[in-house]
Amino acid sequence: MERIDHPDEKFYGRLKSRALTKKQSELFEFLFQRVSITAFREIDIAYRDVFLEIGFGSGEHLAQLASLNSSKLFVGCEMFINGIASLLTKIEQLNLANLKIFQGDARKLLHEIPDKCIDGVFLLFPDPWPKRKHMKRRFIQSDTIVTLHRILKVGGSCRIATDDEGYAGWVEKCFTPFEKHFSIEVMDSESRPPESVWPKTRYEQKAVKSCKFFLFIKEGPL
């Protein structure tokens, strides 16, 4: 779940919901040092195709995509330690060499990414922040869309999923001024792409409400 309102210095104290297992702690000590990045310039430029997931939760979507596409690089952004620990476990189990983790606020990483560098961005089931006073905390904002458009290659995509009607309406409203710059497809749980293309997150698998899926493809300059 997406959380973007906590400063980095409070990360460890406030963003861990349960104690890590001994194995998870060992993965943080050894594997995390190998797969983590603190800046976009640290990624391997040998990869021609780069994808970014914002708030990867437990990491099942990201890990499955990475395992199915070994020639492509996947970068996951997450603030929650327990989610990172879950993804580290999957990286070890699947022996993934094409996955990097950015621990922190994804917006900091986005601003560092060069123009037309990213092939795809995923934002799956973010915190909807339903209260009006909290809507400014939502990741999707006009300025964020401008940044996403800047970093995406022409033909690159932004995939967004939510089971919250209010958030779905917010996404449509925010992207409306940019409809000339993206092709837009809206799908439901029945018409969503197959899991081989768009793997289900654990949250989607447990969802009791209807989900909505957005596919925005960059068509040209702003």
Side-chain angles (χ1 to χ4, degrees):
M1 298 293 285
E2 168 193 30
R3 294 296 295 273
I4 60 176
D5 63 329
H6 295 295
D8 287 346
E9 62 267 19
K10 296 182 180 179
F11 183 95
Y12 287 96
R14 300 182 65 183
L15 297 179
K16 184 171 66 173
S17 61
R18 59 186 182 277
L20 300 180
T21 65
K22 179 181 178 181
K23 177 62 176 179
Q24 288 175 330
S25 296
E26 291 175 350
L27 290 174
F28 256 104
E29 184 176 356
F30 299 105
L31 180 57
F32 183 70
Q33 304 305 317
R34 177 168 62 83
V35 302
S36 66
I37 61 172
T38 59
F40 188 77
R41 63 178 179 273
E42 297 173 13
I43 71 167
D44 188 349
I45 60 174
Y47 288 94
R48 294 182 59 187
D49 301 315
V50 182
F51 295 83
L52 177 70
E53 182 162 354
I54 298 166
F56 57 71
S58 296
E60 59 274 4
H61 170 268
L62 200 59
Q64 186 170 341
L65 281 180
S67 65
L68 293 173
N69 301 275
S70 59
S71 64
K72 302 176 181 179
L73 179 65
F74 295 85
V75 180
C77 302
E78 183 58 73
M79 297 186 74
F80 285 95
I81 290 178
N82 296 103
I84 294 173
S86 295
L87 181 56
L88 289 174
T89 300
K90 295 176 178 64
I91 291 174
E92 182 187 50
Q93 291 174 342
L94 298 173
N95 193 28
L96 299 175
N98 59 328
L99 204 160
K100 296 293 183 180
I101 297 174
F102 176 80
Q103 182 183 29
D105 188 335
R107 293 172 300 182
K108 295 181 179 180
L109 187 66
L110 290 181
H111 290 303
E112 300 176 359
I113 299 177
D115 295 358
K116 302 176 184 178
C117 184
I118 301 298
D119 293 87
V121 176
F122 313 111
L123 178 67
L124 308 180
F125 302 98
D127 192 324
W129 293 109
K131 294 183 179 180
R132 183 174 295 274
K133 65 180 180 180
H134 292 156
M135 288 182 179
K136 63 183 179 181
R137 301 178 180 179
R138 291 174 171 175
F139 184 84
I140 294 298
Q141 307 283 344
S142 293
D143 59 342
T144 312
I145 295 173
V146 171
T147 301
L148 292 174
H149 185 278
R150 178 185 64 78
I151 67 175
L152 283 170
K153 300 175 183 177
V154 175
S157 64
C158 177
R159 300 181 183 182
I160 302 174
T162 183
D163 65 343
D164 184 89
E165 292 184 8
Y167 198 89
W170 175 271
V171 170
E172 292 176 336
K173 178 182 178 180
C174 289
F175 269 91
T176 295
F178 302 92
E179 58 187 5
K180 293 182 180 180
H181 311 290
F182 291 92
S183 66
I184 302 173
E185 184 176 359
V186 183
M187 299 156 282
D188 59 20
S189 298
E190 297 298 323
S191 59
R192 76 184 300 283
E195 288 192 56
S196 59
V197 177
W198 192 329
K200 288 185 178 181
T201 67
R202 185 170 59 179
Y203 186 88
E204 181 184 349
Q205 292 171 347
K206 294 181 177 180
V208 296
K209 295 185 291 184
S210 178
C211 301
K212 185 165 284 189
F213 304 84
F214 297 89
L215 177 61
F216 300 95
I217 299 178
K218 177 178 175 178
E219 293 195 327
L222 289 176

